[in-house]
């Protein structure tokens, strides 16, 4: 008896395509959101690296802009008058805190970022990627969202500690 050996044929083009285009692992959305809440620089890096998540930046820009507006209005009309009242009670000679200009700068930054979020919504290419110049501006604004409120907080609350001590 003679056994027939059937040869396997390899599709060379399929083998080359699989070798050239390895599948990239995507970061899970919940991981990015967790880092966004607790350690934003890592989330920003993951958003930058994963081009399919660039579409998130328009929504994040609008969300962070709205939060800056709410933060600024709350601080300007509720917190700042109370801080000035406490400073007057503890130390009449102490100059009241003048952080209102910084707070208005925060509100203007928030409005600008909110508008920018709508602007970049139509700037994605067919793959969902954002151009480098828009990407740079978006990440600069997101970083400022963490720096400016902290700066306003320090300029507003520091005179309160100085007047008590």
């Amino acid at each position: 008896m003679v056994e027939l050996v059937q040869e396997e044929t390899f599709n060379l083009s399929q083998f080359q395509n699989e070798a050239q285009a390895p599948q990239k692992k995507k970061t899970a959305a919940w991981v990015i959101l967790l880092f966004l809440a607790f350690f934003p620089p890592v989330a920003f890096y993951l958003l930058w690296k994963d081009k399919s998540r660039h579409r998130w930046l328009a929504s994040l820009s609008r969300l962070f802009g709205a939060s800056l507006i709410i933060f600024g209005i709350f601080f300007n009309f509720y917190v700042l008058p109370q801080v000035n009242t406490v400073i007057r009670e503890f130390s009449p000679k102490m100059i009241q805190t003048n952080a209102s200009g910084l707070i208005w700068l925060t509100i203007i930054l928030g409005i600008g970022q909110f508008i920018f979020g709508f602007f970049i919504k139509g700037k994605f290419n067919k793959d969902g990627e954002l151009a480098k110049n828009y990407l740079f501006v978006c990440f600069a604004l997101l970083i400022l969202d963490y720096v400016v409120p902290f700066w306003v907080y320090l300029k507003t609350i520091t005179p309160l500690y100085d007047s008590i001590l």
Side-chain angles (χ1 to χ4, degrees), residues 22-122:
Q23 295 292 331
K24 291 183 180 180
K25 290 185 179 179
K26 291 173 70 171
T27 307
W30 69 269
V31 172
I32 294 175
L33 291 173
L34 189 69
F35 277 124
L36 197 58
F38 296 109
F39 197 63
V42 174
F44 296 156
Y45 171 74
L46 292 173
L47 285 172
W48 181 287
K49 186 178 83 167
D50 191 359
K51 293 179 182 2
S52 66
R53 304 255 193 238
H54 284 186
R55 291 200 182 273
W56 285 24
L57 296 175
S59 299
L60 283 176
S61 186
R62 290 190 305 265
L63 178 71
F64 280 41
S67 67
L68 274 183
I69 294 167
I70 292 168
F71 169 82
I73 289 172
F74 176 75
F75 235 74
N76 198 32
F77 295 112
Y78 184 73
V79 174
L80 192 60
Q82 289 184 357
V83 168
N84 285 332
T85 302
V86 170
I87 289 173
R88 269 195 309 268
E89 288 177 8
F90 280 102
S91 178
K93 296 177 185 176
M94 182 76 178
I95 298 173
Q96 294 181 10
T97 181
N98 190 12
S100 184
L102 286 175
I103 295 170
W104 281 107
L105 178 70
T106 303
I107 294 171
I108 291 169
L109 177 69
I111 292 170
Q113 186 170 0
F114 191 77
I115 293 169
F116 183 73
F118 284 107
F119 174 74
I120 65 170
K121 190 174 181 180

Side-chain angles (χ1 to χ4, degrees), residues 7-23:
E7 292 183 25
E8 280 189 42
T9 58
F10 290 102
N11 187 350
L12 189 57
S13 64
Q14 180 184 3
F15 181 72
Q16 288 174 344
N17 288 341
E18 288 176 4
Q20 290 175 354
Q23 295 292 331

